[in-house]
């Protein structure tokens, strides 16, 4: 998001605060690691944004059963799939209400019109709302949903039919993702008629468990429980996101009782947290991957020999030990080892500075060269300390004559500017959104604007296309393994590690379920008296 647009978001949302609210009976404070990129999940990609917007304000047609990758009903109470696997017919719950806010008061419940609008806005360039907001629909485009769809039709007020061009094993899991949140067509029409279309993405109106009340940029977000939520009013009355980028400060706030849940503690803090009698640390192997990526549009990174040399110059095992501190595993493939399609037999890039320097000389750089290495400003499960990782890589590259300048900035700007391709090399990663290998491989590495490596390999893309066309998991695994072999050979990125996810919560928090995708779900949480 541009700085101008970010300022507009802040200004508009601050006005939502309602003075004189009575003290909430139950207030849960969550220490988040970053500000939202946008208040429209159509435009977002960061987990911190989805937690703050999609998981609070909105719902999807289908959702994942808490703690699992199983898809269950949400706004659609049931659905049918045609025998040929191309037609999905969703039946909506009746009388689902959109919440009101200072900008808009709905006059009708959720209908099929809202579902069609929520997808058409992202899909069709001729949709009257498509260009509002000035941002790209990153997830929709990256996961190939536009190419997948033939039509979306309203059958009646409570029935929507999606017709695919061909059977696709990823479709149902894809529309369970946060970018596919269902938004209000009535609000879109009203805001455009009033001449305030920017309100669509600044003052969200959804069907979710909470209603946005106020946003103090880079500081706090406040929500109230939605009393009309179709799945039951949340047990807590007020939800507060305390935006705290520093992981050490987040832990201190948790221990002091200033927040009840925090995210992304440094691995070094976990043993201490486990000893705190007021805190429970939930853990599970993460379906995540942290990696070093190369921008192939920047010289000399377009030369695969240079990329291989840079990969071999990195002591990845030492990085895992220093950065993850016992809570990470060295990874050689482009998928987390917990993914069912992960390649198990790839050898990765052995640490060999002498061979790396020789390969650089062969590529025409015997004395090395200079490049920028962008480091994330936030800690994520896939990379708890990107700055430290960058420093270790910087030192390893210096040993073969490559000078790396470390660059960092605010999280939203980091995501936007790396997507625009301003970097030479970057540290990033992700957690699977749905447990399907296609999700990570397509979003990170398929041809398209979302690919921060600016790498486009037709044989790789063809393998992904073929894997989507069958529901045979053994065949899909075979295809994904071949795709990962191409990634290892071409080196658009260097896999570093997959981590154990640790989520510390205070012991008075009830009903918390650790999400396999690293997201937060607050609708059923309660606080013990």
């Amino acid at each position: 998001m541009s700085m101008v647009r970010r300022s507009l978001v802040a200004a508009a949302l601050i006005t939502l605060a309602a003075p004189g609210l009575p003290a909430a009976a139950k207030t849960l404070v969550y220490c988040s690691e970053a500000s939202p990129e946008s208040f429209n999940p159509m435009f977002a990609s960061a987990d911190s944004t989805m937690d703050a917007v999609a998981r609070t304000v909105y719902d999807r047609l289908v959702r994942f059963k808490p703690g699992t990758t199983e898809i269950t009903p949400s706004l659609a109470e049931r659905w049918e799939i045609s025998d040929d696997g191309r037609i999905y017919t969703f039946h909506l719950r009746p009388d689902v209400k959109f919440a009101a806010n200072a900008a808009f008061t709905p006059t009708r419940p959720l209908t099929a019109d809202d579902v069609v609008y929520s997808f058409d806005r992202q899909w069709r360039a001729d949709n009257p709302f498509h260009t509002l907001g000035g941002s790209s629909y990153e997830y929709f485009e990256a996961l190939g949903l536009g190419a997948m769809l033939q039509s979306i039709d309203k059958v009646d007020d409570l029935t929507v039919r999606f017709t695919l061009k061909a059977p696709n094993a990823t479709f149902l899991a894809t529309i369970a993702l946060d970018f596919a949140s269902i938004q209000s067509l009535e609000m879109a029409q009203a805001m455009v008629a009033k001449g305030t279309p920017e309100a669509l993405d600044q003052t969200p109106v959804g069907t979710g468990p909470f209603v946005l009340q106020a946003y103090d940029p880079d500081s706090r977000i406040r929500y109230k429980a939605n009393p009309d939520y179709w799945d039951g009013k949340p047990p807590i009355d007020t939800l507060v996101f305390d935006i705290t980028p520093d992981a050490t400060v987040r832990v201190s706030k948790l221990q002091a009782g200033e927040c009840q849940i925090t995210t992304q503690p440094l691995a070094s803090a976990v043993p201490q947290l486990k000893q705190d009698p007021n805190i429970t640390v939930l853990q599970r192997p993460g379906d995540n991957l942290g990696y070093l990526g190369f921008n192939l549009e920047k010289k000399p990174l377009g030369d695969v020999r240079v990329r291989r040399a840079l990969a071999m110059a990195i002591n990845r095992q030492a990085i895992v030990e220093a950065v993850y501190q016992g809570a990470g595993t060295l990874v050689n493939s482009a998928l987390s080892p917990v993914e069912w399609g992960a390649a198990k037999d790839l050898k990765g890039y052995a640490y060999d500075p002498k061979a790396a320097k020789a390969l650089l000389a062969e590529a025409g750089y015997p004395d090395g060269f200079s490049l920028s290495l962008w480091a994330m400003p936030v800690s994520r499960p896939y990379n708890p300390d990107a700055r430290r990782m960058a420093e270790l890589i910087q030192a390893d590259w210096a040993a073969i004559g490559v000078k790396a300048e470390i660059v960092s900035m605010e999280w939203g700007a980091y995501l936007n500017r790396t997507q625009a391709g301003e970097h030479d090399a970057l540290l990033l990663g992700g957690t699977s959104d749905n447990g399907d290998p296609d999700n990570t491989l397509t979003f990170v590495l398929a041809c398209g604007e979302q690919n921060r490596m600016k790498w486009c390999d037709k044989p790789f893309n063809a393998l992904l296309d073929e894997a989507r066309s069958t529901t045979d998991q053994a065949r899909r695994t075979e295809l994904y393994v071949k795709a990962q072999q191409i990634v290892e050979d071409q080196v658009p990125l260097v896999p570093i590690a997959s981590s154990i996810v640790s989520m510390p919560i205070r012991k008075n928090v009830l009903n918390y379920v650790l999400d396999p995708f690293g997201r937060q779900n607050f609708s059923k949480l309660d606080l013990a008296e």
Side-chain angles (χ1 to χ4, degrees):
M1 191 190 325
S2 70
M3 293 305 295
V4 171
R5 185 167 169 232
R6 186 176 299 278
S7 298
L8 287 172
V9 170
L13 289 173
I14 290 172
T15 65
L16 292 174
L21 286 174
K26 290 183 180 180
T27 297
L28 187 145
V29 180
Y30 167 63
C31 279
S32 174
E33 77 277 26
S35 298
E37 306 154 84
S38 166
F39 277 86
N40 186 338
M42 291 180 181
F43 298 138
S45 61
D47 290 349
S48 51
T49 301
M50 299 310 190
D51 290 340
V53 185
R55 296 301 178 97
T56 52
V57 177
Y58 292 109
D59 289 304
R60 274 65 54 202
L61 287 174
V62 295
R63 62 186 178 184
F64 297 102
K65 181 179 179 181
T68 77
T69 60
E70 177 186 346
I71 296 172
T72 61
S74 183
L75 293 178
E77 59 185 359
R78 58 188 174 87
W79 60 90
E80 297 99 32
I81 306 172
S82 63
D83 291 341
D84 65 0
R86 292 181 53 240
I87 301 172
Y88 289 71
T89 304
F90 295 91
H91 303 274
L92 305 180
R93 297 180 187 277
D95 302 318
V96 173
K97 295 181 179 180
F98 283 99
N101 67 15
F104 174 71
T105 300
T107 65
R108 63 164 176 79
L110 170 80
T111 72
D113 292 320
D114 302 302
V115 177
V116 174
Y117 154 71
S118 297
F119 286 93
D120 260 9
R121 178 179 174 183
Q122 301 179 76
W123 180 25
R124 298 189 183 278
D126 61 354
N127 183 282
F129 307 101
H130 181 78
T131 58
L132 294 179
S135 295
S136 64
Y137 301 100
E138 185 175 355
Y139 257 100
F140 187 93
E141 295 163 0
L143 297 178
L145 200 54
M148 194 186 305
L149 290 167
Q150 178 173 306
S151 63
I152 308 173
D153 301 296
K154 172 185 176 181
V155 178
D156 57 44
D157 278 352
L158 294 177
T159 311
V160 185
R161 182 174 59 236
F162 289 72
T163 303
L164 309 185
K165 294 177 182 176
N168 193 301
T170 70
F171 175 71
L172 205 57
T174 294
I175 64 167
L177 302 184
D178 294 328
F179 81 93
S181 295
I182 304 305
Q183 304 184 25
S184 169
L185 172 62
E186 185 186 20
M187 181 185 182
Q189 294 169 331
M191 294 303 99
V192 169
K194 286 175 61 177
T196 57
E198 67 278 359
L200 288 176
D201 306 322
Q202 298 172 359
T203 56
V205 163
T207 62
F210 295 93
V211 180
L212 180 68
Q213 292 288 285
Y215 174 43
D216 184 4
D218 300 324
S219 178
R220 286 202 158 200
I221 315 172
R222 181 184 177 91
Y223 311 83
K224 71 173 182 179
N226 182 356
D228 299 317
Y229 186 45
W230 62 268
D231 200 22
K233 177 185 175 295
I236 57 174
D237 299 280
T238 301
L239 173 64
V240 175
F241 275 46
D242 186 332
I243 300 166
T244 310
D246 188 289
T248 302
V249 176
R250 287 198 301 272
V251 167
S252 296
K253 287 184 175 182
L254 181 75
Q255 292 179 309
E258 296 177 31
C259 54
Q260 287 75 47
I261 304 171
T262 190
T263 186
Q264 322 306 334
L266 294 176
S268 58
V270 171
Q272 172 193 0
L273 288 167
K274 287 182 176 180
Q275 297 299 315
D276 192 315
N278 299 309
I279 292 172
T280 298
V281 179
L282 304 175
Q283 291 182 304
R284 68 183 295 165
D287 190 350
N288 60 53
L289 176 69
Y291 60 78
L292 165 72
F294 299 117
N295 182 349
L296 272 67
E297 292 182 348
K298 296 291 187 74
K299 292 182 179 181
L301 299 174
D303 187 328
V304 68
R305 295 171 297 178
V306 171
R307 300 195 299 273
R308 287 177 184 156
L310 293 175
M312 291 189 296
I314 300 170
N315 189 340
R316 294 185 301 137
Q317 184 59 51
I319 288 174
V320 172
E321 292 170 3
V323 175
Y324 295 83
Q325 299 189 33
T329 302
L330 183 69
V331 175
N332 290 327
S333 74
L335 286 176
S336 161
V338 306
E339 288 267 6
W340 53 261
K344 307 295 185 184
D345 299 325
L346 295 181
K347 296 180 180 179
Y349 311 101
Y351 176 51
D352 192 339
K354 184 177 180 180
K357 191 167 180 61
L359 194 54
L360 272 187
E362 179 186 320
Y365 298 93
D367 300 320
F369 58 92
S370 298
L371 80 170
S372 64
L373 172 57
W374 290 39
M376 300 152 44
V378 296
S379 57
R380 303 297 303 153
Y382 54 79
N383 190 336
D385 192 346
R387 181 74 192 194
R388 176 63 176 146
M389 185 181 292
E391 291 168 349
L392 293 168
I393 293 172
Q394 181 186 51
D396 285 342
W397 284 348
I400 63 167
V402 174
K403 298 177 182 178
E405 176 190 3
I406 298 174
V407 177
S408 193
M409 65 200 68
E410 184 269 333
W411 185 219
Y414 186 91
L415 293 172
N416 289 336
R417 292 176 64 181
T418 54
Q419 186 177 346
E422 295 183 29
H423 60 288
D424 293 328
L426 85 163
L427 293 174
L428 202 60
T431 298
S432 174
D433 295 303
N434 58 20
D436 191 300
D438 180 79
N439 176 252
T440 296
L441 294 176
T442 294
F443 186 79
V444 176
L445 289 166
C447 299
E449 292 183 4
Q450 86 293 339
N451 185 330
R452 288 173 166 83
M453 278 55 73
K454 309 306 175 186
W455 177 70
C456 182
D457 186 89
K458 291 183 178 179
F460 175 85
N461 267 41
L463 289 168
L464 298 189
D465 289 341
E466 185 178 350
R468 295 186 200 104
S469 68
T470 178
T471 58
D472 182 339
Q473 187 164 309
R475 176 58 180 158
R476 295 186 76 203
T477 297
E478 179 183 342
L479 294 166
Y480 290 135
V481 168
K482 290 181 179 179
Q484 291 163 79
Q485 289 169 343
I486 291 176
V487 175
E488 182 180 59
D489 180 64
Q490 294 299 311
V491 208
L493 59 75
V494 180
I496 303 293
S498 180
S499 74
I500 296 171
V501 175
S502 298
M503 179 59 61
I505 65 174
R506 292 191 67 84
K507 288 188 175 178
N508 65 328
V509 176
L510 306 176
N511 309 325
Y512 189 92
V513 177
L514 192 57
D515 186 81
F517 312 122
R519 301 280 167 82
Q520 303 300 321
N521 298 285
F522 300 98
S523 64
K524 301 300 180 184
L525 298 190
D526 201 353
L527 294 172
E529 297 294 341

